[in-house]
Amino acid sequence: MGTRPLLNRRLEGMGSTIFAEMSALAVATGSINLGQGFPDTDGPREIAEAAARAVLDGRGNQYPPGPGIPELRAAVTEHQQRWYGLSYDPDREVLITAGATEAIAAALLALLEPGDEVIALEPFYDSYAACIAMAGAARVPLTLRAPGFRPDLDELRTLITPRTRLLLINTPHNPTGTVLTPDELRGIAELACEHDLLVITDEVYEHLVFAGAHRPLAALPGMRERTVSISSAGKTFSFTGWKVGWVTGTPELVAAVRTAKQYLTFVSAGPFQYAVADALRLPDGYFDTLRADHLRKRDLLAEGLAAAGFDVYRPDGTYFITTDITPLGETDGLEFCRKLPERCGVVAIPNVVFYDNTEAGRSQVRWAFCKRDDVLAEAVARLGRL
Ligand SMILES: Cc1ncc(COP(=O)(O)O)c(C=O)c1O
């Protein structure tokens, strides 16, 4: 095999994720894991039963259709219409994927040539960097800076070059909790149109918005024809293990993404697709309760973190809170998170791993609040020991 490294250069340095390291630390130390973003309570019983019924009734146990089962594609189009007034053709403008993760990978692999540049909001969700790298493209961060974590549209303009192929926009934004305002969305849309850029939007936290409202970029003038919109069932229905996601866009964009997707997983999660179709049609009350529950959890954890001495950036959306550790006399989030389990039995994630401009995120730490109230209360009590 010679001296050549086994892992190709594009993936160098991406060996293991911070979530694996911190979750292993949580298990080893018996800590409360506020690191990885998954709920500790499953979603609606009736939706779990729908999945079980589909398995037992033999629906989806064999390869489902490549684009996804028709029932789910129809439910996705109804959802986009019901919440955002966006209309899509379920046969040509919807693609079901193995979670948003596969949708992001397939979209980037389909739409990028080596050497293209992708502008993404930084700090970024870790799969963006890996997928942009696998496509041979270059990532260009638009840094969201504390305390407001707003995108600077003048800076965005300066980042656009002749090599820029697409904007990768995540709103509500993990890990900062930023929800883009109508003005910010309009500014981004205008730049995309002016420079004829494609846009990928990651909207997996669309139903976890506490201030303002989620607005899809695809709804803005000139954007439908250039936007690949991505979402998934994991966060909205608290079934992150099912990995059912979807893409909406023009027939041409969806066909491009489908071309890459069919050679990644081809298809996935047959029976779960039936259950997610039911979930997307749940009444408004379900979505209201989801939001109200998470708002309460956000405030419980935010107040506990503030009482423990952190600077707290209260998020407008998602189920993460970003804090700054400087008031505790600390400067290095990574070191802080590695020691935290031993110090007080809680695990969190250092935001610095989501930055290229590491200076901007060095002292930030992220906490997930999608946990039971009693777990959050215990975590707060433990953090009080700091
Ligand atoms: C911003 C963002 N996008 C995508 C995903 C992945 O979604 P899925 O589980 O549907 O693949 C996550 C999960 O944490 C996320 O935070």
Side-chain angles (χ1 to χ4, degrees), residues 41-56 59 237-239 242 271-279 282 286:
T41 308
D42 286 347
R45 176 93 195 160
E46 73 216 76
I47 301 303
E49 283 169 356
R53 251 194 332 272
V55 171
L56 294 173
R59 284 178 296 135
F237 301 110
S238 299
F239 287 117
W242 289 9
F272 294 126
Q273 292 192 26
Y274 288 92
V276 171
D278 289 356
L282 285 169
Y286 169 77

Side-chain angles (χ1 to χ4, degrees), residues 98-101 104 125 128 170 174 202 204-205 232 235 240 243:
T101 305
I104 293 161
Y125 179 58
Y128 299 172
N170 170 216
N174 171 11
D202 176 346
V204 300
Y205 298 100
S232 74
K235 317 289 177 178
T240 56
K243 297 295 278 190

